[in-house]
Amino acid sequence: MHIREIFNKKKLVFSFEIFPPKATSSVNTIYKTLEALSDLRPDFISVTYGAGGGSNQNKTRELSSLVKNKYGIESVAHLTCIRSTKDEIKQILEELEQDGIENILALRGDIPLEDEVKGDFSYASDLVKFIKKHGRFDLGGTCYPEGHMDCKSLEEDVKNLKYKIDAGVTHLISQLFYDNNDFYKFLDLTKKYNINVPIEAGIMPLTNNKQIARIATLSGSKIPDKYFKIMDKFAHDSEAMMDAGIAYATEQIIDLITMGVDGIHLYTMNNPYVARKTHDNIIQIIHSVNRD
Ligand code: FAD
């Protein structure tokens, strides 16, 4: 099923994101993770695509196929284009189609360094146009409530977002964020620029202090003072920190749902415990919205 049909049917969509394991870690871990996550019956599970190349990229296909064909949950394969040729992308599209995968999150990927290979595409919108010509996939795109790191302003970034929508993206998944006001301001801007597709809010519970430095460098998302206070108090106790991070994310999600968000996309970090606890905290709220 195309993800846009799920958005058409449901007032509130709930999805998970997983990533293929590194070549060095046991592949059994991800199978166990998938088993546990699929029990929670999200509307879809998306599988990231390693920007660094190698076997990890084939794993995206394998895991997306498993989600769909073994667990009967709709899957979304992430696909980046900045390092790829048109022929390479064509081949990946054929393979995904062979596995019955119907949905792709079309991404640019991070800009390669000077000495790294560049491909035939400049932006996610180029990939969207290319896939539209060469496959029958439903296409999602990303958005950045605090603005993308490469862009000089949030408003400029939202203007650029429109290229993806005009190229054929039917829904958006947001970068993670920790202050809902940033998301609401971003939504106001999308209205100003006539972006009318459903937008899922990306939420990642911060459950240990190592994640915090990584988040700041990788996504550029602001971490509110409230969160640092929680860390100061509980970082020495991993279980307490885990519960505090889940509680923070739960509060964020309830506020977003109350304000009428189209969907919640949970970055699970392949951690079924965090996904289950967060899910259990909000599932009755999700059911209630979808019953109305
Ligand atoms: P684009 O939408 O192409 O935007 C990139 C930049 O270019 C922005 O600054 C934008 O404002 C600007 N821009 C866009 N179009 C134009 C235009 N026509 N003219 C001028 N400027 C323009 N990375 C991975 O490697 N693998 C993954 O699986 C992955 N999954 C992700 C999932 C989500 C939900 C998110 C939010 C990010 C993910 N990323 C992933 C990270 C992503 O690849 C990076 O953030 C990357 O730097 C941008 O990709 P994009 O598709 O958002 O780019």
Side-chain angles (χ1 to χ4, degrees):
M1 184 190 282
H2 282 165
I3 300 302
R4 67 161 174 264
E5 291 173 46
I6 303 179
F7 278 107
N8 284 342
K9 275 196 198 141
K10 290 196 160 180
K11 278 193 185 155
L12 179 61
V13 169
F14 181 54
S15 56
F16 290 151
E17 180 167 311
I18 60 167
F19 58 86
K22 289 210 173 75
T24 47
S25 69
S26 161
V27 90
N28 289 334
T29 323
I30 190 70
Y31 296 143
K32 276 197 199 137
T33 301
L34 260 184
E35 195 82 37
L37 292 179
S38 60
D39 259 9
L40 304 176
R41 309 310 297 168
D43 290 308
F44 69 87
I45 297 180
S46 81
V47 185
T48 66
Y49 185 79
S55 61
N56 197 278
Q57 297 184 339
N58 294 333
K59 279 265 168 276
T60 302
R61 174 191 177 189
E62 186 194 325
L63 292 181
S64 307
S65 176
L66 216 63
V67 166
K68 172 142 180 144
N69 300 317
K70 178 169 180 200
Y71 295 106
I73 295 173
E74 209 40 69
S75 67
V76 174
H78 295 206
L79 180 60
T80 63
C81 63
I82 192 77
R83 295 158 195 262
S84 302
T85 62
K86 289 184 177 172
D87 284 345
E88 284 165 348
I89 295 289
K90 243 190 196 168
Q91 192 188 330
I92 293 171
L93 296 180
E94 278 167 23
E95 289 169 357
L96 292 175
E97 225 157 45
Q98 277 163 21
D99 284 359
I101 291 156
E102 296 177 64
N103 303 287
I104 292 177
L105 187 71
L107 296 144
R108 183 193 72 179
D110 288 331
I111 298 281
L113 303 172
E114 286 277 296
D115 56 341
E116 289 179 323
V117 183
K118 291 172 193 68
D120 294 335
F121 303 86
S122 300
Y123 299 110
S125 53
D126 301 331
L127 178 63
V128 173
K129 285 182 207 152
F130 186 81
I131 299 177
K132 282 269 153 207
K133 274 198 207 140
H134 294 96
R136 272 175 273 139
F137 297 93
D138 186 40
L139 299 176
T142 53
C143 60
Y144 299 82
E146 297 172 67
H148 184 265
M149 276 177 163
D150 296 351
C151 210
K152 61 179 190 301
S153 75
L154 173 63
E155 184 139 1
E156 191 69 34
D157 196 32
V158 176
K159 269 194 217 168
N160 291 336
L161 191 54
K162 186 75 167 80
Y163 294 119
K164 271 195 284 211
I165 311 298
D166 292 344
V169 152
T170 67
H171 60 278
L172 294 168
I173 302 180
S174 93
Q175 179 61 289
L176 45 90
F177 59 89
Y178 293 93
D179 182 344
N180 287 0
N181 288 326
D182 290 328
F183 187 74
Y184 301 138
K185 280 183 210 149
F186 164 77
L187 288 185
D188 287 344
L189 271 178
T190 60
K191 303 229 165 63
K192 180 172 165 191
Y193 288 99
N194 233 350
I195 292 168
N196 296 316
V197 299
I199 302 178
E200 270 198 293
I203 298 292
M204 186 173 126
L206 279 180
T207 53
N208 66 64
N209 52 354
K210 272 196 225 130
Q211 284 174 325
I212 299 204
R214 249 177 84 76
I215 294 300
T217 17
L218 285 184
S219 69
S221 304
K222 286 191 306 282
I223 313 274
D225 281 350
K226 183 177 168 184
Y227 205 89
F228 284 109
K229 285 188 187 132
I230 294 174
M231 254 187 53
D232 283 347
K233 184 103 179 148
F234 300 112
H236 67 282
D237 180 337
S238 60
E239 285 178 10
M241 192 60 217
M242 184 88 84
D243 275 0
I246 293 167
Y248 189 99
T250 301
E251 196 182 315
Q252 253 193 299
I253 295 171
I254 294 172
D255 180 63
L256 288 160
I257 296 178
T258 307
M259 298 300 281
V261 72
D262 298 312
I264 300 292
H265 185 70
L266 196 69
Y267 293 96
T268 69
M269 300 305 289
N270 292 357
N271 184 329
Y273 174 82
V274 172
R276 177 175 290 279
K277 280 203 94 173
T278 312
H279 163 276
D280 290 353
N281 286 345
I282 59 171
I283 193 62
Q284 291 312 325
I285 296 167
I286 293 177
H287 287 332
S288 169
V289 171
N290 282 329
R291 266 197 308 267
D292 281 348

